[in-house]
Amino acid sequence: MRRKIVAGNWKMNKTLIQGLQLADEILSASTSAEVLKIIAPPFTHLSAIAEKIKSRTDFAVAAQDCHHLQNGAYTGEVSAEMVASTGANYVIIGHSERRLYANETNDILIQKLNRALSARLIPIFCIGESIDERNAKTHLEAIRAQLKDGLFHLSSPDFGKTIIAYEPVWAIGTGVTATSYQAQGVHDFIRTEINKKYGKEISDNISILYGGSCNAQNAKELFACADIDGGLIGGASLKSADFSAITNSF
Ligand code: PGA
């Protein structure tokens, strides 16, 4: 059985005090222990939040990124090993904002994935088409290329550990959510591509999350789809009531 997961990507929001308060609120809300809740705060908050959740098996902490090299003279950067040393067990890789603003290419993403896995972090790998690709109806080709060029170099055991987040770029932070029909269509496509490359057991067991203006109102319909195993939540993860409502939407 695939694990149901809701991950909150705080992006560049919340001071340390504000973040600790939000984490406390999320931890005290009643949520199903069956659902894994992953909190992805800024790097500066990782160890304090990891400490708070350490006795909870239904919570985990993720970094929003890690560097593609192991260590060295790269001022301002944070390595996968450093992330792991905070107590975080997950790392988001290939978010569209990083692909866009930090010019992350497939070549860099491949290196990040490899670094994350060797630091024993579980990658949450983001893929998703642009509005132009969606309008031109080439979105499935775009998704196929992102899988092939960014992810399908992994061995079966490594691939089997990863989580995929389908985030159509046009839906992120826009308030325009993919319909459940659109999202399920792409999730089914992703699972079929994985099946072709890695076989049925791995494709049946990998969690594929939907992201892009997912909120407390639309989560239920999205999560009811056969191939949607949860969500990667941006804006709505910054309010504990909304995030908790989303975690209770299965
Ligand atoms: P959003 O962001 O929920 O604010 O659209 C999702 C994401 O970027 O992961």
Side-chain angles (χ1 to χ4, degrees), residues 9 11 95-97 167 171-175 211-214 232-236:
N9 174 10
K11 307 191 181 183
H95 191 282
S96 64
E97 286 154 13
E167 299 204 301
I172 296 179
T174 59
S213 299
C214 183
L232 178 55
I233 317 299

Side-chain angles (χ1 to χ4, degrees), residues 14-232:
K14 305 287 177 190
T15 62
L16 180 58
I17 300 284
Q18 291 166 345
L20 292 178
Q21 190 182 336
L22 177 58
D24 280 337
E25 287 169 18
I26 292 170
L27 282 162
S28 60
S30 85
T31 67
S32 159
E34 249 180 54
V35 179
L36 174 65
K37 278 79 61 178
I38 303 177
I39 300 175
F43 287 127
T44 44
H45 308 10
L46 284 174
S47 69
I49 296 181
E51 180 65 27
K52 273 188 188 297
I53 59 130
K54 71 176 185 218
S55 61
R56 295 282 297 264
T57 54
D58 60 333
F59 274 88
V61 174
Q64 298 171 15
D65 181 41
C66 66
H67 199 259
H68 61 284
L69 298 175
Q70 195 168 10
N71 64 282
Y74 302 101
T75 302
E77 300 292 350
V78 177
S79 73
E81 248 181 18
M82 292 171 191
V83 168
S85 74
T86 67
N89 293 118
Y90 294 78
V91 59
I92 298 171
I93 293 179
H95 191 282
S96 64
E97 286 154 13
R98 295 211 53 88
R99 291 180 192 251
L100 182 65
Y101 305 134
N103 300 316
E104 291 187 353
T105 58
N106 286 321
D107 180 46
I108 294 284
L109 298 180
I110 287 172
Q111 294 180 61
K112 288 188 183 220
L113 278 168
N114 295 343
R115 288 282 160 222
L117 286 159
S118 43
R120 298 182 184 281
L121 292 172
I122 298 175
I124 303 172
F125 192 75
C126 302
I127 55 176
E129 81 279 5
S130 67
I131 188 64
D132 290 346
E133 288 161 338
R134 172 61 67 168
N135 287 340
K137 299 193 169 37
T138 57
H139 52 288
L140 295 181
E141 280 156 53
I143 297 290
R144 182 186 283 128
Q146 286 175 336
L147 287 170
K148 183 170 156 285
D149 300 337
L151 203 54
F152 280 1
H153 67 286
L154 293 178
S155 66
S156 295
D158 280 346
F159 186 84
K161 290 177 203 148
T162 62
I163 296 168
I164 294 179
Y166 166 58
E167 299 204 301
V169 177
W170 47 271
I172 296 179
T174 59
V176 180
T177 320
T179 64
S180 53
Y181 179 78
Q182 288 172 321
Q184 167 57 26
V186 177
H187 281 234
D188 175 51
F189 176 80
I190 294 169
R191 207 176 296 286
T192 305
E193 290 297 299
I194 296 169
N195 188 354
K196 281 195 232 160
K197 168 83 182 165
Y198 292 101
K200 185 165 162 44
E201 196 184 330
I202 286 187
S203 69
D204 278 352
N205 284 306
I206 194 154
S207 293
I208 308 176
L209 314 182
Y210 169 79
S213 299
C214 183
N215 57 39
Q217 285 71 47
N218 58 34
K220 223 181 187 93
E221 188 181 331
L222 287 159
F223 296 175
C225 297
D227 290 290
I228 301 182
D229 305 307
L232 178 55

